[in-house]
Amino acid sequence: MPRPRSLTTHQIAAAALTVIDRDGLPALSMRTVAAELDRRTMALYRYVEDREELECLVVDLALGPVLDRAASDRAASDRADRPAAAAGPRARLLVLLELMREAVGAHPGVLPLAVRHHGGCPSALRWRERLLEALAEAGLDAPRRASALHALVSYVIGALELEHQAATAPTVGASVPETFPLLATALATRAATDPALAFTDGARTVLDGLGLGPGPGL
Amino acid sequence: MPRPRSLTTHQIAAAALTVIDRDGLPALSMRTVAAELDRRTMALYRYVEDREELECLVVDLALGPVLDRAASDRAASDRADRPAAAAGPRARLLVLLELMREAVGAHPGVLPLAVRHHGGCPSALRWRERLLEALAEAGLDAPRRASALHALVSYVIGALELEHQAATAPTVGASVPETFPLLATALATRAATDPALAFTDGARTVLDGLGLGPGPGL
DNA sequence: CCTCGTAGGTGTAGACCGTACGCCTAAACT
DNA sequence: AGTTTAGGCGTACGGTCTACACCTACGAGG
């Protein structure tokens, strides 16, 4: 009976993501998103409570691929096309962690939003559930699962944040070398390393610490 | 010859910290800080380039205690007053990580700023250098130190961020239970755990993963 | 003691932001 | 065709940061 909606929240999220990818996160505003959709600013408020909710939609959209690809990996593993993905809990966890990194890496500007809304956005919650499934499969009981999840999520959030800042930092380390010799060499080493390798390396460290030793899969 | 300065950057940082502690991070603005010092807004720009720099000063001030207490611990250990603090590299690392958590915990509102500026603020750099010293003492060579530093810093940043959000979240987990059973129990477990214990537990996990097994000290 | 120059402090104003409120109107069901 | 419901728009308010030009208080040199 009422007038039909001419926009969807998905379209709005996509427009916001376009703005972020093109002009960076600081450019994200109700005005710019509305302009991207050829609408006036206030039109958005018919679909979204406030900016907070819009950000949540963007995060959900950007993190969508994580689950899609995880699901396709799982389906593929059922068909034994991608045996590596199903080799074992440890390998599956590693894949999940790397999928999250890739999803965020595809839209770097979203990272601060993802960090802020990872607790209230469906995609992120589903991702965590997947982690827990793998942890359960590895034989961890509930308390150890909770502890392991905390360690893994903390690492991922921190590592992504570090990587993001390294990418957007205004080259801070000018006065570092003399005062902090160890730090200087460490930063140099890090700058010379492939970020993806550094991420996976740290992830493996955490998995080792959880007692999920390198199994037959990897 | 010129007119002397009537303020110090330290005073400005302290005023900003007062504002944050009293009214929360969103209340931080050039206006509120200036009001705290009984000055007009623009007076601050004689001491600070922009808001960015002010935030950096606040982080530096808030993180100061980490280094002071780490130094006093070290002095104390020299006098054998606090043997536990000098028991070994692993114990020292754990203390450094916990000191960082306590420093941020003393001013919860600063956390987002600390995360954003941890790379450009002297206190944070000195803290990292201390970590590297302990790692070197543990026998790790330069590449492994860089890798270990990355894992540790990532974990700390992520864990603090998680803790901060758990404290300020508007109770999101309403729809979680049915859709994500594993996550629901994990969140319940986490909510029932002392944050300090959860933090230390995760830190120990990372240290284990780094091969710094539980030594004689702890 | 007086003057002078430097730098501190201030006021104004511009360009943004998010969003509360009220109006008009287009669409679809009765 | 009529009614009703929501969509879209315009305006406006209060807030942010900060560029710029102005006045003035202070300490040093004479």
Side-chain angles (χ1 to χ4, degrees), chain A residues 4 7 13 21 26 28 44 104 170-171:
Chain A
L7 257 48
D21 287 340
L28 182 71
L44 296 182
V104 173
T171 319

Side-chain angles (χ1 to χ4, degrees), chain A residues 1-6 31 39-40 42-43 46-47:
Chain A
M1 189 187 308
R3 179 175 173 179
R5 317 209 115 199
S6 59
R31 288 168 164 76
R39 290 286 177 329
R40 311 300 171 185
M42 294 313 290
R46 293 279 166 186
Y47 299 85

